[in-house]
Amino acid sequence: MPRQGTPPPAPVAVGGPARPAALPSTGAAVRGIRPHDWFAERLLAVLSGQRPVHWMLGHTVAPAYDQLIDLAPGAPLRPASRVRPRVSRCDWRAPVPGVLEAFARIAAGDRVTAMAFRLERGPDHRWRCAAVEIGPRP
């Protein structure tokens, strides 16, 4: 079982060499960004009001998209000050193969908010967000 903080194991093609885990976009794969980091940044952009919810179409399953539609209008991660929020730390756990449960600390000035999300790898080997939650605000 993978340990916290190490990338998930890459799937192995039958009769061939190991393939890297597919990321949501070609650009992310080229840059070597880990799936949980990539999604944390995208979710932050939507939940801070920097991007519209439909920016996540194709990167979420239906229940998670519905959660984003409910959360986004209130922009729960929009900072109270002019300080732009950022992902200060993002970790993950793999409860079963093909699933990552990630948690991120979102910092904006001296305020920190928790964000948790679940990623599931589909039959096409792409990661999709299956759930998202925001911690209570101070």
Side-chain angles (χ1 to χ4, degrees):
M1 175 183 274
R3 293 184 334 211
Q4 177 182 343
T6 59
V12 177
V14 176
R19 283 186 339 167
L23 289 171
S25 73
T26 304
V30 170
R31 292 185 302 271
I33 299 171
R34 299 177 301 178
H36 61 285
D37 292 326
W38 191 88
F39 274 94
E41 293 292 341
R42 287 185 77 93
L43 290 168
L44 172 59
V46 170
L47 296 173
S48 65
Q50 298 172 49
R51 293 286 186 156
V53 175
H54 69 264
W55 195 51
M56 292 298 291
L57 273 173
H59 302 295
T60 57
V61 295
Y65 191 74
D66 292 341
Q67 287 175 315
L68 288 174
I69 288 172
D70 290 341
L71 288 169
L77 298 179
R78 179 174 291 156
S81 64
R82 293 182 183 239
V83 177
R84 185 176 177 162
R86 65 180 175 80
V87 177
S88 67
R89 182 175 179 158
C90 187
D91 291 312
W92 63 275
R93 297 190 188 278
V96 296
V99 173
L100 298 179
E101 292 179 345
F103 41 99
R105 290 184 190 135
I106 308 300
D110 61 352
R111 190 179 92 198
V112 177
T113 306
M115 177 174 66
F117 53 98
R118 179 181 175 100
L119 304 178
E120 296 176 353
R121 188 181 300 170
D124 59 355
H125 297 285
R126 290 183 59 197
W127 291 102
R128 289 182 179 80
C129 182
V132 62
E133 292 183 15
I134 304 298
R137 294 186 53 145

